[in-house]
Amino acid sequence: MEQTLVILKPSAVIRGLMGEVISRFEKKGLIIAGMKMVQLDDKILAEHYAHLVSRPFFPSLKKSMMVSPVVVMCIRGVDAVAVVRAMTGATNSRKAEPGTIRGDYSMSGQQNIIHASDSVENAEIELARFFDKSEIFDFKPAMLDYLYADDEI
Ligand code: UDP
Ligand code: MG
């Protein structure tokens, strides 16, 4: 099964939306395989958002990601990367479809509630950035037999 990284951004933590967002992933049938609260700093944000460091909004993005701790999550499931991205919605929350997390809970292109890895390759890199191997748990939830057909997993 695939694994992907989700970050509950300060916009979720401060607005009291952590439970709502986590609950969506649980109800979907995704497995939460790792989760912890961390304070991000300049160094890790320059790495994580390396593709954006030269953009004019980067200082503001970095600041917005450090105003409170964030929650980092490892989410597991068949096609988890694409499923979680679809649940996340478009980057600009005002354009994100209703029914997506950004579409339902935010109005901003920056304060957009969560980060989700955009490819299987990046998910692996990003999970290694935020988690030790020992912090990701390989357990079998009892519900697994009812989440997928035998030939899907
Ligand atoms: N962002 C921003 N202004 C922009 C584009 C992006 O502030 O014009 C922020 C926003 O918080 C976004 C993050 O930078 O979630 C990462 O941008 P990316 O293009 O990777 O979007 P995402 O993968 O988060 O949808
Ligand atoms: Mg991105």
Side-chain angles (χ1 to χ4, degrees):
M1 275 195 230
E2 276 177 17
Q3 298 190 144
T4 190
L5 176 81
V6 164
I7 303 177
L8 306 183
K9 296 183 177 187
S11 47
V13 174
I14 292 170
R15 290 179 54 205
L17 294 170
M18 290 183 286
E20 293 259 356
V21 175
I22 293 166
S23 181
R24 286 190 173 214
F25 294 126
E26 289 184 313
K27 286 176 188 160
K28 175 69 173 165
L30 290 157
I31 298 163
I32 297 171
M35 182 160 73
K36 63 182 177 180
M37 192 174 249
V38 291
Q39 175 62 50
L40 302 182
D41 60 19
D42 281 304
K43 185 172 172 286
I44 202 160
L45 284 165
E47 260 182 46
H48 182 65
Y49 286 133
H51 59 301
L52 300 172
V53 282
S54 59
R55 302 290 291 273
F57 59 82
F58 183 68
S60 153
L61 170 61
K62 213 168 57 166
K63 192 170 156 215
S64 76
M65 292 294 290
M66 297 195 293
V67 293
S68 78
V70 299
V71 174
V72 289
M73 304 173 67
C74 171
I75 293 188
R76 183 182 295 142
V78 173
D79 300 330
V81 173
V83 169
V84 170
R85 276 295 278 196
M87 291 174 73
T88 298
T91 306
N92 182 342
S93 303
R94 293 189 297 280
K95 295 190 175 146
E97 289 286 323
T100 64
I101 291 163
R102 287 168 172 169
D104 286 354
Y105 295 120
S106 65
M107 283 294 287
S108 171
Q110 182 166 97
Q111 306 277 19
N112 56 5
I113 311 295
I114 70 169
H115 165 83
S117 304
D118 63 7
S119 68
V120 174
E121 192 194 6
N122 282 339
E124 268 179 39
I125 295 167
E126 292 179 353
L127 284 167
R129 179 173 298 134
F130 290 99
F131 285 97
D132 283 337
K133 277 203 174 111
S134 65
E135 294 172 320
I136 294 176
F137 299 92
D138 193 10
F139 61 100
K140 185 182 179 220
M143 65 181 181
L144 202 61
D145 293 341
Y146 306 95
L147 286 176
Y148 299 104
D150 292 342
D151 61 359
E152 287 178 311
I153 47 175

